């Protein structure tokens, strides 16, 4: 069948009629070559009302495989999605890359409600302060991906440079995820680059990984002068990353004290914080609620023994000392030498450097900690 005398050779035509309301629509696919005038007429509808032309790609199988491989390398998207985008964009790789980003943002928004308990902590430091962030994902497999790790480190550097993180306050200064996500990020990874907001970067990462990716929390700690900040990361795939982290600030009165000795002990104390999970710096900082709750539990346990009331009170006080050794940093047995506690370690360090040294503040983070309980309490409050 020929459409006009202008055809250079016979044209294979596939036609189908689709009923739509009261109209019939004829769709036609043209295979082979034909004169441009016929294509123009068909595309414009001139002379062929209700006819729509769909071209078949001229890309060979080897070319298609090459384009799939190249786009896969650019985006890290699943092969199925890469091929689908290329087919829909008539094997135009630039258009297909934009289409993948468009689809990815939509898919990432649908995944945002899924639980993300895996991920990494990322830490960045300069001479005066330290910042640490937690970036979550759904699986450990994604946490091992180099793009995910690059993003985590980039967010830590962003937190370090943020204006709020430079406040000279005692303790760890928290930054809300919303604040950090509003800041601009300049990325230079082969698969994700350019200037964008942190929120846009996390969304694009989620689209690339095919999982819910979430910036959960971030903190900054400024150094007291004179003093140091010591850090420790456990389960670290590379420098600046880990699954557990400890940050500790030490202050010394004499600015001429031996900082190398203080740094050595500080590094050990940061490791101690990660290993022993202290909740409070000193006994006087234990909250009254926590203390009352622990006394009540210990008294109930002691009363079950059936001993006299005087004996029960002694048992409670004795077990309370044990509680302090478990949750108070200064009372804990030192992880490097369990014959002494942390308070004794600081006393010995003060004698060694010839000036009083004290812990100003500390911070311990673990990937995914508290997510289950926070989600449970949130669902209970909704109910």
């Amino acid at each position: 069948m020929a459409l006009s005398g202008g055809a250079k050779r016979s044209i294979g035509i596939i036609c189908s009629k689709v009923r739509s309301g009261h109209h019939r629509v004829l769709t036609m696919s043209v295979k082979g070559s034909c004169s441009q005038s016929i294509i123009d007429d068909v595309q414009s509808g001139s002379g062929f009302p209700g006819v729509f032309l769909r071209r078949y790609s001229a890309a060979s199988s080897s070319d298609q495989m090459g384009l799939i491989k190249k786009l896969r390398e650019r985006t890290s998207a699943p092969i199925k999605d890469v091929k689908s985008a290329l087919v829909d964009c008539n094997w135009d790789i630039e258009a297909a890359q934009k289409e993948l980003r468009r689809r990815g943002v939509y898919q990432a928004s649908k995944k945002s409600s899924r639980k993300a308990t895996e991920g990494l902590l990322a830490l960045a430091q300069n001479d005066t302060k330290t910042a640490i962030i937690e970036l979550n994902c759904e699986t450990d497999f994604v946490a091992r991906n180099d793009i995910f790790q690059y993003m985590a480190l980039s967010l830590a550097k962003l937190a370090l440079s943020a204006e709020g993180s430079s406040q000279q306050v005692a303790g760890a200064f928290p930054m809300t995820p919303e604040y950090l996500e509003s800041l601009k990020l300049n990325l230079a990874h082969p698969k994700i680059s350019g200037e964008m907001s942190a929120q846009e970067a996390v969304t694009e990462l989620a689209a690339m990984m095919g999982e819910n990716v979430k910036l959960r929390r971030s903190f900054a700690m400024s150094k007291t002068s004179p003093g140091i900040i010591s850090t420790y990361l456990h389960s670290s795939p590379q420098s600046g990353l880990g699954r557990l982290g400890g940050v500790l600030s030490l202050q010394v009165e004499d600015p001429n004290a031996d900082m190398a000795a203080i740094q050595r002990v500080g590094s050990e104390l940061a490791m101690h914080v990660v290993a022993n999970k202290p909740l409070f710096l000193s006994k006087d900082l234990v909250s009254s609620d926590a203390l009352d709750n622990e006394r009540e539990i210990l008294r109930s346990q002691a009363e079950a023994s059936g001993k006299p009331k005087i004996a029960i009170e002694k048992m409670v006080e004795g077990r309370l000392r044990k509680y302090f050794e478990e949750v108070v940093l200064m009372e804990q047995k030192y992880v490097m030498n369990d014959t002494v506690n942390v308070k004794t370690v600081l006393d010995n360090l003060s004698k060694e450097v010839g000036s009083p040294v004290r812990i100003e503040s500390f911070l311990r983070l673990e990937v995914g900690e508290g997510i289950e309980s926070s989600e449970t309490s949130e669902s209970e409050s909704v109910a």
Side-chain angles (χ1 to χ4, degrees), residues 21 52 63 113 121 133 155 157 163 192 208 277 296 311 320 361-362 364 373 381:
F52 303 92
D63 290 340
S113 62
L121 303 173
I133 65 101
L155 290 169
K157 292 174 184 176
E163 290 183 9
I192 181 169
M208 295 171 69
K277 305 179 182 180
E296 185 179 342
L320 203 55
S361 59
F362 74 91
R364 183 189 186 277
S373 59
S381 64

Side-chain angles (χ1 to χ4, degrees), residues 71 77-90 95-111 203-204 206-208 210:
L71 187 55
I79 291 179
K80 180 181 177 182
D81 294 341
V82 167
K83 183 177 180 181
S84 172
L86 282 166
V87 169
D88 290 349
C89 296
N90 202 28
Q97 186 170 349
K98 291 179 182 177
E99 175 64 14
L100 274 176
R101 289 187 66 179
R102 186 192 66 78
R103 294 181 187 179
V105 170
Y106 171 69
Q107 291 170 355
S109 67
K110 293 201 299 182
K111 294 180 175 70
T203 300
E204 186 160 338
M208 295 171 69

Side-chain angles (χ1 to χ4, degrees), residues 54-88:
R54 176 168 59 87
R55 297 195 194 208
Y56 281 82
S57 169
S60 65
S61 297
S62 59
D63 290 340
Q64 292 176 4
M65 291 302 296
L67 289 169
I68 291 173
K69 182 179 178 182
K70 187 179 291 186
L71 187 55
R72 165 76 171 157
E73 289 173 349
R74 282 191 191 182
T75 64
S76 294
I79 291 179
K80 180 181 177 182
D81 294 341
V82 167
K83 183 177 180 181
S84 172
L86 282 166
V87 169
D88 290 349

Side-chain angles (χ1 to χ4, degrees), residues 55-181:
R55 297 195 194 208
Y56 281 82
S57 169
S60 65
S61 297
S62 59
D63 290 340
Q64 292 176 4
M65 291 302 296
L67 289 169
I68 291 173
K69 182 179 178 182
K70 187 179 291 186
L71 187 55
R72 165 76 171 157
E73 289 173 349
R74 282 191 191 182
T75 64
S76 294
I79 291 179
K80 180 181 177 182
D81 294 341
V82 167
K83 183 177 180 181
S84 172
L86 282 166
V87 169
D88 290 349
C89 296
N90 202 28
W91 298 92
D92 182 335
I93 191 168
E94 299 300 331
Q97 186 170 349
K98 291 179 182 177
E99 175 64 14
L100 274 176
R101 289 187 66 179
R102 186 192 66 78
R103 294 181 187 179
V105 170
Y106 171 69
Q107 291 170 355
S109 67
K110 293 201 299 182
K111 294 180 175 70
S112 62
S113 62
R114 299 199 321 214
K115 190 181 298 182
T117 57
E118 294 294 330
L120 287 169
L121 303 173
L123 187 144
Q125 284 182 282
N126 60 25
D127 292 338
T128 59
K129 58 182 179 290
T130 297
I132 186 169
I133 65 101
E134 179 181 355
L135 185 64
N136 294 128
C137 56
E138 296 177 47
T139 64
D140 182 60
F141 176 77
V142 166
R144 294 196 301 269
N145 185 284
D146 72 304
I147 309 174
F148 184 91
Q149 294 181 5
Y150 172 82
M151 183 66 72
L153 289 169
S154 298
L155 290 169
K157 292 174 184 176
L158 181 66
L160 184 66
S161 64
E163 290 183 9
S165 67
S166 62
Q167 294 187 10
Q168 295 293 324
V169 294
F173 174 74
M175 290 174 282
T176 65
E178 293 78 15
Y179 167 70
L180 202 58
E181 287 176 341

Side-chain angles (χ1 to χ4, degrees), residues 253-322:
E253 287 187 7
D254 184 1
N256 298 316
D258 183 1
M259 290 298 176
I262 297 172
Q263 187 67 67
R264 170 179 51 80
V265 175
S267 297
E268 293 176 354
L269 285 169
M271 184 190 302
H272 173 100
V273 166
V274 170
N276 284 19
K277 305 179 182 180
L279 300 178
F280 308 97
L281 175 57
S282 58
K283 287 195 290 186
D284 57 305
L285 293 177
V286 178
S287 66
S288 57
D289 288 342
L291 202 54
D292 291 342
N293 184 57
E294 192 64 23
R295 282 184 186 277
E296 185 179 342
I297 292 172
L298 294 176
R299 185 170 285 105
S300 297
Q301 292 173 346
E303 287 173 349
S305 66
K307 293 184 178 180
K309 188 174 181 179
I310 297 177
I312 288 174
E313 289 303 318
K314 289 182 179 179
M315 290 172 64
V316 169
E317 292 305 314
R319 291 177 182 179
L320 203 55
R321 285 193 295 272
K322 181 67 175 176

